[in-house]
Amino acid sequence: MTTDSPTVAASGLVCRVGAGVIGGLAGGVVFGVMMQATDMLPMVARLVDGESVLVGWGVHLAISAFVGTTYALIFGALAEVLVASTVLGVLYGAVWWLLGGLTLMPLRLGLGLFVLDSAAWQSLAGHLAYGLVLGLTYALVIPGRLGAE
């Protein structure tokens, strides 16, 4: 009898996605604090036609949870090892800087694409910090690390 039943596989996927959401939200809080310090959250709110810091936080954390989920789905078991997960997280943060910070967000807001000004470099720092925390958190909360099975 094997343990690779559909129920066990689905349970593993749910656990990975849960760890991705937790890691994404943890990274999102760190990045969000950085954005709040540089008054960037109102710009994030503009993605949904808002303008307040509170709306910016909501949008940012929703995106953070989504990115954490995709991290879990893409990297899965490969990211269960702390060092690998941390490196993958930082690299994934850089990818999302290119995809989100330099491409999707400027497109949505009618701004220039791939503009490398001081705000872009601050965004890179935030995305790298996000990825670092995502990768660390994912590897630490994935089942088996904290005694969960």
Side-chain angles (χ1 to χ4, degrees):
M1 189 158 132
T2 68
T3 59
D4 292 339
S5 71
T7 303
V8 171
S11 175
L13 180 62
V14 168
C15 289
R16 285 191 179 123
V17 168
V21 169
I22 292 167
L25 291 174
V29 168
V30 171
F31 188 8
V33 168
M34 294 170 73
M35 285 194 296
Q36 185 158 350
T38 58
D39 201 31
M40 294 300 293
L41 287 169
M43 180 183 283
V44 175
R46 288 179 38 210
L47 291 170
V48 295
D49 298 324
E51 54 189 53
S52 74
V53 170
L54 185 60
V55 171
W57 267 106
V59 170
H60 171 67
L61 290 175
I63 293 169
S64 296
F66 170 78
V67 172
T69 299
T70 62
Y71 177 85
L73 293 172
I74 292 168
F75 298 111
L78 183 62
E80 290 181 15
V81 176
L82 189 62
V83 173
S85 187
T86 303
V87 170
L88 288 169
V90 171
L91 293 173
Y92 201 55
V95 167
W96 275 101
W97 174 64
L98 293 169
L99 184 61
L102 296 181
T103 308
L104 296 174
M105 187 167 178
L107 275 173
R108 171 68 177 101
L109 300 178
L111 305 172
L113 298 177
F114 295 101
V115 175
L116 297 177
D117 57 10
S118 62
W121 296 117
Q122 290 172 346
S123 175
L124 174 60
H127 280 87
L128 294 176
Y130 169 86
L132 176 74
V133 174
L134 166 63
L136 282 170
T137 304
Y138 179 86
L140 292 173
V141 302
I142 199 71
R145 287 259 181 214
L146 300 176
E149 292 285 320

